[in-house]
Amino acid sequence: MRSNQLIKIIIIDDHDLLREGISARLQDVPYVEIIAEGSNGREAVDLCQRLQPDVLLMDISMPVMNGLEAAEIIRETGIKTRILFLSIYDDNEYIQEALRIGANGFVLKDVSKPEMLNAIKSVAQGATYLGPKVAASLQKGADAQTECATNYGLTKREKQVLALIAEGQLNKEIAYRLDISIRTVESHRSAVRDKTGGGNAARLAKIARDLGL
Amino acid sequence: MRSNQLIKIIIIDDHDLLREGISARLQDVPYVEIIAEGSNGREAVDLCQRLQPDVLLMDISMPVMNGLEAAEIIRETGIKTRILFLSIYDDNEYIQEALRIGANGFVLKDVSKPEMLNAIKSVAQGATYLGPKVAASLQKGADAQTECATNYGLTKREKQVLALIAEGQLNKEIAYRLDISIRTVESHRSAVRDKTGGGNAARLAKIARDLGL
DNA sequence: GCGTATATCCGTATTACTACTGAACGCTGT
DNA sequence: ACAGCGTTCAGTAGTAATACGGATATACGC
């Protein structure tokens, strides 16, 4: 997709006003053509199958079927349409879910015109574009995870033991690896349980993985 | 960062020829200025601290200090410079590690001039830009994971039970949730162990998480 | 020196999980 | 009708983990 080729777009949003705004913005852009519009996810799926647009510009929260569900179905049908989400929320859950499904881009609704065009061109080429605030939100989430990894006040030894538990090692094996008694492993394990509030072995494994192994 | 504002760039690559090629490409672009060049990660860190560029265009594999290490140090120092990686490899490990560190973009060295400018503009604005092949590679990795999730020949019920085990639920709780007997839960659990080769409960949790919960 | 934290070890008792075998019921496809 | 599979439940036995209790040694800061 060269920048001088026509990019065919479908716009999906349940608010008429917003669709009109987008249309107005893109009307005088020579390399972009809006070939259809719709107001829910079901229409998005139908229109993409019939018209095979280059880019699907879609909201997330919509009646009947939301954007994420629609995107998942479209991805499953194997249509090559690039999906660019346009949301009012920079919610981490949404963003990660969108990327997991295979979305090509994600921008917020306060996006400027040049940035919107930039995003459209990028995803049309097959690139992945995440708007500034979206990227910042994702990064913040990653930071929070990293920060969390230093918590619970676990000592070095306890972290070592926890990591081996998460691997699925038995106390016996952990004792052998760290060259300590099984009873000591049990003590550390008990301390980890107390500090993290985890009971079950599987729960400890979950906690360990949340903390980055 | 408006598109008509000057974007100050530092280029880091250990191949002189490649740096010269990039310079030549960007020389006649009015809104981009190359303010420094370097040939390894150590120089990248120094130059970014002294000159505070808008964008750091950097290779990954380099002598002395590679790009990923340099990026991590730069991120830790809190410098606002956007980092755009330029690599010959679309290796999934590299890409994910780069994004984890907090890189703003990733393109391959076969990038066209308009796409390169698009990427530079995008990251300068604070967006995240992943080139077409990079995005494809990431998606391929995600698909592989999803495919793996359908393996081991687990039945629906077994997957349900495994998911709850991974949550750290006790057999008793799982039985209550699924409204079946504890013995049945034990049967399913046993079947899962047999099929996955997992022994320990913590190991089952690990397997479940590898399969995407 | 003293208190605190960490790491190390032990005993006893209960609970949860693992290993093995067996069996009944419903559904699917031949 | 029959075989195969998935789901359901049960018995019996052993092993691992959890929940209490207590103990010693070493290092570190005040």
Side-chain angles (χ1 to χ4, degrees):
Chain A
M1 173 68 58
R2 295 242 183 75
S3 56
N4 57 355
Q5 280 186 314
L6 199 58
I7 301 174
K8 287 182 289 184
I9 294 189
I10 289 180
I11 298 173
I12 305 288
D13 197 300
D14 56 326
H15 298 97
D16 292 354
L17 191 59
L18 210 122
R19 283 208 313 279
E20 288 166 21
I22 297 171
S23 298
R25 249 192 192 176
L26 299 181
Q27 210 157 28
D28 61 339
V29 179
Y31 54 86
V32 170
E33 184 193 4
I34 300 170
I35 59 173
E37 297 188 9
S39 59
N40 65 60
R42 172 56 50 201
E43 290 182 45
V45 175
D46 291 345
L47 289 170
C48 280
Q49 285 181 324
R50 286 198 353 246
L51 304 175
Q52 308 264 332
D54 298 306
V55 174
L56 170 62
L57 189 59
M58 179 165 58
D59 190 15
I60 288 188
S61 58
M62 288 182 297
V64 184
M65 177 187 288
N66 74 41
L68 294 172
E69 292 169 334
E72 198 153 20
I73 294 173
I74 290 169
R75 276 289 163 270
E76 282 168 1
T77 60
I79 298 175
K80 303 170 307 299
T81 294
R82 321 291 189 182
I83 300 173
L84 175 56
F85 278 114
L86 186 68
S87 172
I88 36 171
Y89 305 110
D90 63 346
D91 185 12
N92 246 316
E93 301 292 324
Y94 276 179
I95 299 169
Q96 286 178 17
E97 177 68 3
L99 294 178
R100 193 193 62 75
I101 290 172
N104 301 86
F106 201 115
V107 292
L108 298 185
K109 285 189 175 171
D110 63 354
V111 63
S112 67
K113 181 172 175 179
E115 193 195 321
M116 180 181 259
L117 291 177
N118 206 347
I120 291 173
K121 279 190 292 184
S122 297
V123 302
Q125 287 168 187
T128 294
Y129 184 99
L130 306 179
K133 293 181 184 176
V134 176
S137 177
L138 256 189
Q139 193 55 39
K140 213 172 56 186
D143 286 351
Q145 264 195 340
T146 309
E147 192 180 343
C148 179
T150 63
N151 276 10
Y152 287 118
L154 295 177
T155 66
K156 291 175 199 169
R157 207 58 162 171
E158 288 161 355
K159 280 183 197 168
Q160 279 179 20
V161 172
L162 178 56
L164 290 170
I165 292 171
E167 289 292 323
Q169 306 282 345
L170 302 177
N171 281 345
K172 199 194 301 177
E173 297 166 331
I174 296 172
Y176 176 75
R177 277 226 204 167
L178 298 181
D179 193 32
I180 55 180
S181 155
I182 290 189
R183 315 311 298 272
T184 306
V185 176
E186 284 173 351
S187 285
H188 290 313
R189 194 168 182 145
S190 186
V192 172
R193 266 198 306 275
D194 288 348
K195 290 180 180 175
T196 61
N200 188 285
R203 179 160 286 276
L204 288 183
K206 174 178 155 66
I207 290 168
R209 297 204 147 235
D210 287 345
L211 302 191
L213 258 132
Chain B
M1 173 65 61
R2 295 241 184 78
S3 57
N4 58 357
Q5 280 187 314
L6 199 58
I7 301 173
K8 287 181 290 183
I9 293 188
I10 289 180
I11 299 173
I12 305 289
D13 197 298
D14 55 327
H15 298 98
D16 291 354
L17 191 59
L18 209 123
R19 283 208 313 279
E20 288 167 22
I22 297 171
S23 297
R25 249 192 194 177
L26 299 182
Q27 210 156 27
D28 61 339
V29 179
Y31 53 87
V32 170
E33 184 192 5
I34 299 170
I35 59 174
E37 297 187 9
S39 59
N40 63 61
R42 171 56 50 201
E43 289 182 46
V45 175
D46 291 345
L47 289 170
C48 280
Q49 285 182 323
R50 283 193 3 238
L51 303 176
Q52 308 264 333
D54 297 306
V55 174
L56 169 62
L57 188 59
M58 179 165 58
D59 190 16
I60 287 187
S61 58
M62 288 183 297
V64 184
M65 177 188 286
N66 74 41
L68 293 172
E69 292 169 332
E72 197 153 19
I73 293 173
I74 290 169
R75 275 289 163 268
E76 282 169 2
T77 61
I79 297 174
K80 301 169 307 299
T81 294
R82 321 290 188 182
I83 301 173
L84 174 56
F85 280 113
L86 187 67
S87 173
I88 37 171
Y89 305 110
D90 64 345
D91 185 13
N92 245 317
E93 301 290 324
Y94 276 177
I95 299 169
Q96 286 178 17
E97 176 69 2
L99 293 178
R100 193 193 60 75
I101 290 171
N104 300 86
F106 201 114
V107 291
L108 299 185
K109 284 188 176 173
D110 63 356
V111 62
S112 68
K113 181 171 174 177
E115 193 195 321
M116 179 182 258
L117 291 177
N118 206 347
I120 291 174
K121 278 190 293 186
S122 297
V123 301
Q125 287 168 190
T128 295
Y129 184 99
L130 307 180
K133 293 182 184 175
V134 176
S137 177
L138 256 189
Q139 193 55 40
K140 214 172 58 186
D143 286 351
Q145 264 194 339
T146 309
E147 193 179 344
C148 181
T150 64
N151 278 8
Y152 286 116
L154 295 178
T155 66
K156 291 176 201 169
R157 207 57 162 169
E158 286 161 357
K159 279 184 199 167
Q160 279 180 18
V161 173
L162 178 55
L164 290 170
I165 291 171
E167 289 291 325
Q169 305 282 346
L170 303 177
N171 281 346
K172 198 193 303 176
E173 296 166 332
I174 296 172
Y176 177 75
R177 277 226 204 167
L178 299 182
D179 194 31
I180 54 180
S181 155
I182 290 188
R183 314 310 299 271
T184 306
V185 176
E186 284 173 351
S187 286
H188 291 313
R189 195 170 182 144
S190 187
V192 172
R193 266 198 307 275
D194 288 347
K195 289 179 182 175
T196 61
N200 189 285
R203 178 160 288 277
L204 288 183
K206 175 178 155 66
I207 290 169
R209 298 207 145 230
D210 288 345
L211 302 193
L213 253 122

